[in-house]
Amino acid sequence: MLRYVIKKLLSLAVSLTVASVVIFLALEVVPGDPAASMLGVNAQEDTLAALREELGLNRGPLARYGDWVGGMLVGDFGTSYTYRTPVSEMIADRIWISLPLALLALSLSTLIAIPAGIWAASRRGSGVDLGVMGVTQLGVAIPNFWFAMLMVLVFAINLRWFSAGGFVGWEAGFWPAIHSLTLPAIALALPQASILTRVMRSALLDTLGEDFIRTARAKGLSRAQALWRHALRNALIPVLTIIGLQFSFLIAGAIIIENVFFLPGLGRLVFQSISARDLIVVESVVMLLVCAVIVVNFIVDITYAIVDPRLRRAR
Amino acid sequence: MTLLRIDRLSMDVQGLPILREVSLGVDAGRILGVIGESGSGKSMTALSVMQLLPSGARCSGRITLAGQEVLTLSETALCKMRGRDVGMVFQEPMTALNPLKTIGAQVAETILIHERVSRGEAMQRAAEALARAELPQDRFPMSRYPHELSGGQRQRVVIAMAIALRPRLLIADEPTTALDVTTQAEILKLLKRLVAEDGMACMLISHDLAVVADMADDIVIMRDGEVVENGPADRLLTDLQHPYSKALLAASSHVPDRSAEPREASLLSVRDVVRDYATPRTGWWGRAGTFRAVDGVSFDIRRGESLGLVGESGCGKSTLTRAILGLEEVQAGTIELNGQPVFTGHRPNRAVRRHMQVVFQDPYGSFNPRHRVDRLVSEPFHLLDDAPQGSARSDAIAQALESVGLSADDGRKFVHEFSGGQRQRIAIARALIIRPELIILDEAVSALDVQVRAQILDLLAELGDSLGLTYLFISHDLSVVRSITDRVLVMQAGQIVEQGVTQDVFDAPRHTYTQQLVRAAPRLTVAPERIAR
C-alpha cells in the first residue's frame, strides 16, 4: 500500500511539473511578446517597454519560469497588472467562495445520487426505476444556467426564501454564508447528480449480475443483504471516478453559475482576467485549478486502493 | 430416506418452457450425477432447488427437501434454507468470490448469516471449514484475497463456504469444468470425501460423462428440460436404453476416421525456442525479472501430420502458439515453416503467415458481431498480395463455407444467428479460405457439447484427408487429443517433457508428469462397443 501511495505521489509531482511547463509555454512563450498581447495591438512602444520591464520580460524564459514556480511554492503568485494587488490575495478572497461552493454542490450531488442510484437498481424495471431514470434524463438535459434562473424566479423573487445573488461573506456567520451558496450549489449539483445517479445505477446493476452475488445468495443472504454487503463496494469504483471528475469540473467550471448569481469566485476571476488580458492572474489561477484537479485525482487513486485490494500491490 | 425428491417439476421463464416434468431423488450419503448438454436444464433444476431462478420464472410440481416443501416456502424461509440446509458450488471459481473481501470473511459470512455467534467464533469455524477443504491456515491464511489464489484454490474456498454449516444437500454445478485435469481430480476427490464424512446428499451436475461415471452412485440424463433416463450408475452406463443417452455416450468416446498418412518431409520446425516475459521489478531499485514461458522447445511437424500439444494452464502452450503464428517474437531459437522463418527482421513474415491459420476456443467471442459471415470468413485475404476480387472472392467464400457443411447463403447472415458448433465451423472456414498448409487448433473443441464436438472432429479429420492439411492440436482434454492426433507433445512449465506416438505416450507414459496427467484424466470405463450393440 505504501509503495502504491509513493508511486502515486511521484506521478502527482510529475503531472504538476508538466502542467506548469505547458501553462507557462502556452501563455508566455508561444504568443511571442506577452506584453503586446496584454496591451493589445495599439499599444505605444514606450508603454510596452515599461510593462516588459515591470514584468521582467526582458530576461530569458528559463529564469522567468524559475521565478514563477519558485514564487508559487512560497505562496507568491505575482501582482495583478489590472488590479495592482497581489494575485495570492485575489485568489484567497475567491477560493473561500469557490471551494465551499464546489464542496457543497458535490456533497449534494453525492447525497442525492448514491441513494437514488441504489434505489433504482434494487427495483429494476419498477415504477421507481422508471421515475428515477426519467428525472435524471431531464436533469442531464436541462442547462444549469436556465435551471438557476428558474430557481431565482421561484425561490428568490416569488417565495423570497433566498437572495437572488451575491455572497454575504463568511464574516456574516456560517449559516448565512451557506444559505447564500445554496441556490448556486443546487444549480451546479443537478446535472452532476443526474449523471452520478445513472452511473451508480448501472454500475450496481452490472455488479448484481456477477457470479459472486449468486454465490452470496446461495449462502443464504437476502437480495438486499447481497446488495449492501457485496455489490455496493464493488460498484463504487466507476462512481468514484465520476465523483473525481465532477469535483475538478465544479472547482473550475462554475463560471456560468457564478455569473448568474453574482458570486465573486475563481471562475469569475478567470473570466475577468481573460477579458482584461491580465496574464499574471490567468496563469496563476489556471495553475491552481490544474493543481486542484491533479490533487483530486490523487485522492481518487488512493480511494480506489482502499476500496479494492487488487490495486494495493504497486505495479 | 430420500433427502431431496423432485417430483414432476416443470418450470418456465416468462412463458418459455425450460423444464418439463423432471423427477429425481437423492438419498443422504449418495451422489447423484446429472448429465446433459448445454440447455438441457440441468443447472436450472439445481437452481430450482435453491429457488434462485431468473426473474419471471414459474415452477410447478413438487420439490421436497427432508420432508419440507420447497416451492411453498416464503423468501425468508428460503434464505434460511440456502447455505444452511443446501450448499452450492459453481462452475467458475474465478468469478464466484467477491474480489474485495478476504476468503476468511467470505466463509465466515455463511456462519454469521445463519447462526448467532461472535465474529471470532465464526472465523474460528471458517478456518476449520477451509482446512476441511484442504486450505490449511499455515499456508493459506484467512486474510488472503481471492486474487491471491489459483482457480483450484478458489474453488476450495467456495466449497468451504458451501460445507461450513454441514448442509444436508450439496449441489455442485460443473464444479471442475473450468479447472485443469489434475486439479479436477483433486477437487472431485475432495467432494467425494466431504460427502462421505458428512453423510451429505450430493447432486453433481456435469456435461462430462467420464467425470460423473467416476463419482456418482446414481445418474440422471437430461435433454431439452426432460429426464430421458435414470438409474444406478453401474447398471445405467452398461445398459443404456434411450437413443439419446446412447448417442451421448458414443459421442464422448468418438474416434474420427482418418486415413491420410503423414509424409516424412517436415513442414514446421521449431528449434530451441525461448520466450521470456518481463516481470515487475521487485523493489525500487530492483531489476525487472523475467518469466520464461517457453523454455528451449524443439519439435517438428511433418506434412499431413496431426500433432497434439497437451499441458495444463500456464504451461506455455498458448505462448508457443503465438510464437508459431508470428504474433510475438521469441528471445532465442528459430521457428520455420517450409524452411522460411516466421519472423524476419523483427517483423512477422507475411509470406509464411499465409500458410498457417488458427481456430480458437471460444466460438462466441472470436468473431466481430457486427460483420456478416462472408466478411468474417474472407478476413485472411489480407495476408495475400493478390487477394481475389469480385466473383472470384464470393466463389472462394462459398466454397469455404460449403467445405465445412454450411451453405453459401449463410455468408449474408450475422454470427449471432448460428449455434456454437456452427460458429466453430465458420471459424474453420475462415482458416481454410486461403488454403493454408498448417492449421493450429487452440482448444478448438473445448467449449462444445460432446455430440457437436464429435461432428467437428469428424469434419477436421475429413478436411485433413481431402485437403492434405497438417494440424497442431492444442488441448487440455486428453481424450480428444488421443482421438485425433498421430503424435503428441506433453508440455510442463515451458518445456516439452515427453513426446511420441499418441497411443504409446498415453498407454505407457514415461515422464512422471505425463503419468500424473493420464492418471488424473477421468475415463469412461464402459467400452464403446458395448453401447453400440
Side-chain angles (χ1 to χ4, degrees), chain B residues 376-516:
Chain B
L376 294 170
V377 166
S378 60
E379 259 169 340
F381 278 150
H382 76 268
L383 286 167
L384 304 183
D385 296 326
D386 52 344
Q389 300 297 328
S391 68
R393 189 185 184 90
S394 29
D395 286 349
I397 294 168
Q399 208 184 346
L401 287 172
E402 278 159 9
S403 69
V404 296
L406 297 170
S407 79
D409 296 336
D410 288 332
R412 298 307 299 156
K413 296 187 187 161
F414 288 99
V415 80
H416 68 257
E417 297 170 64
F418 296 90
S419 68
Q422 286 171 322
R423 288 180 205 206
Q424 218 53 336
R425 286 174 190 269
I426 296 170
I428 297 169
R430 171 165 69 181
L432 287 176
I433 198 159
I434 55 171
R435 306 207 164 277
E437 291 170 275
L438 174 66
I439 295 191
I440 298 177
L441 300 152
D442 189 357
E443 301 276 6
V445 296
S446 302
L448 304 175
D449 280 324
V450 277
Q451 297 203 68
V452 180
R453 184 173 77 193
Q455 290 164 13
I456 296 289
L457 289 176
D458 278 340
L459 172 70
L460 290 171
E462 188 189 308
L463 290 169
D465 288 349
S466 61
L467 303 175
L469 293 171
T470 306
Y471 291 126
L472 175 58
F473 202 98
I474 297 155
S475 183
H476 70 283
D477 187 337
L478 303 190
S479 66
V480 170
V481 172
R482 186 177 200 137
S483 71
I484 195 154
T485 61
D486 304 307
R487 276 193 316 130
V488 68
L489 311 173
V490 182
M491 198 163 178
Q492 183 197 21
Q495 292 178 329
I496 306 259
V497 294
E498 182 161 357
Q499 55 178 307
V501 174
T502 306
Q503 190 86 21
D504 301 346
V505 170
F506 286 166
D507 287 346
R510 284 192 307 272
H511 193 274
T512 46
Y513 178 69
T514 321
Q515 289 165 357
Q516 210 182 325

Side-chain angles (χ1 to χ4, degrees), chain B residues 299-311:
Chain B
F299 64 90
D300 282 281
I301 307 183
R302 287 173 296 162
R303 212 172 269 282
E305 185 178 39
S306 172
L307 180 71
L309 175 61
V310 297

Side-chain angles (χ1 to χ4, degrees), chain B residues 89-128:
Chain B
V89 178
F90 301 95
Q91 172 171 357
E92 198 33 88
M94 301 312 269
T95 53
L97 294 170
N98 183 341
L100 307 185
K101 292 196 171 202
T102 61
I103 57 170
Q106 296 194 54
V107 177
E109 190 177 33
T110 311
I111 299 158
L112 286 167
I113 283 280
H114 292 284
E115 293 181 12
R116 290 181 174 277
V117 293
S118 69
R119 216 185 142 68
E121 192 190 331
M123 288 305 267
Q124 179 58 40
R125 285 170 62 186
E128 286 163 24

Side-chain angles (χ1 to χ4, degrees), chain A residues 5-312:
Chain A
V5 175
I6 295 174
K7 215 160 180 173
K8 290 291 166 192
L9 270 173
L10 280 179
S11 98
L12 174 116
V14 171
S15 312
L16 283 177
T17 314
V18 171
S20 67
V21 171
V22 169
I23 291 170
F24 184 79
L25 286 177
L27 292 176
E28 290 215 16
V29 179
V30 175
D33 185 0
S37 56
M38 284 170 82
L39 293 178
V41 280
N42 300 323
Q44 302 287 323
E45 192 46 49
D46 48 341
T47 359
L48 276 173
L51 183 64
R52 280 194 206 109
E53 187 56 43
E54 184 193 331
L55 297 180
L57 292 179
N58 298 324
R59 295 178 309 135
L62 209 60
R64 270 154 49 208
Y65 174 76
D67 281 358
W68 179 55
V69 172
M72 278 194 299
L73 287 178
V74 296
D76 175 13
F77 290 79
T79 305
S80 160
Y81 171 71
T82 30
Y83 297 97
R84 300 282 163 196
T85 45
V87 178
S88 52
E89 277 175 27
M90 299 171 71
I91 290 175
D93 284 348
R94 285 161 170 85
I95 202 159
W96 290 115
I97 296 172
S98 287
L99 198 62
L101 179 62
L103 281 173
L104 194 58
L106 190 76
S107 317
L108 270 176
S109 111
T110 312
L111 286 177
I112 295 167
I114 291 188
I118 295 173
W119 196 29
S122 63
R123 288 174 178 65
R124 182 181 197 174
S126 69
V128 168
D129 188 19
L130 287 177
V132 168
M133 291 307 279
V135 170
T136 54
Q137 182 77 62
L138 263 176
V140 176
I142 292 176
N144 62 3
F145 64 88
W146 182 82
F147 182 65
M149 293 192 292
L150 196 73
M151 282 201 300
V152 168
L153 267 177
V154 175
F155 296 107
I157 297 175
N158 289 339
L159 295 171
R160 297 183 177 279
W161 291 354
F162 295 94
S163 65
F167 181 63
V168 292
W170 291 98
E171 314 82 67
F174 179 74
W175 289 113
I178 293 290
H179 188 254
S180 58
L181 289 180
T182 303
L183 282 190
I186 294 174
L188 280 172
L190 173 84
Q192 313 275 12
S194 302
I195 295 167
L196 203 58
T197 305
R198 290 174 155 249
V199 173
M200 183 73 234
R201 175 185 175 273
S202 68
L204 200 52
L205 285 179
D206 283 350
T207 318
L208 285 172
E210 298 271 358
D211 285 353
F212 61 80
I213 297 298
R214 191 186 54 189
T215 311
R217 297 272 286 136
K219 281 199 251 183
L221 275 78
S222 68
R223 205 178 289 273
Q225 284 173 320
L227 187 152
W228 288 103
R229 296 191 191 187
H230 291 277
L232 195 57
R233 211 168 119 196
N234 275 284
L236 276 183
I237 297 274
V239 174
L240 283 174
T241 312
I242 302 293
I243 290 181
L245 291 173
Q246 290 191 338
F247 188 67
S248 318
F249 171 81
L250 284 172
I251 291 180
I255 300 182
I256 295 174
I257 292 297
E258 284 178 2
N259 270 313
V260 172
F261 288 97
F262 306 107
L263 292 175
L266 282 178
R268 256 166 87 84
L269 179 63
V270 180
F271 181 71
Q272 288 164 346
S273 334
I274 292 174
S275 323
R277 295 166 181 249
D278 194 337
L279 276 188
I280 313 289
V281 178
V282 174
E283 208 170 58
S284 302
V285 177
V286 169
M287 188 60 214
L288 190 75
L289 294 177
V290 167
C291 201
V293 171
I294 292 175
V295 169
V296 167
N297 278 326
F298 168 74
I299 295 170
V300 169
D301 278 344
I302 299 300
T303 326
Y304 281 161
I306 293 171
V307 171
D308 193 338
R310 287 167 294 184
L311 295 175
R312 285 174 211 160

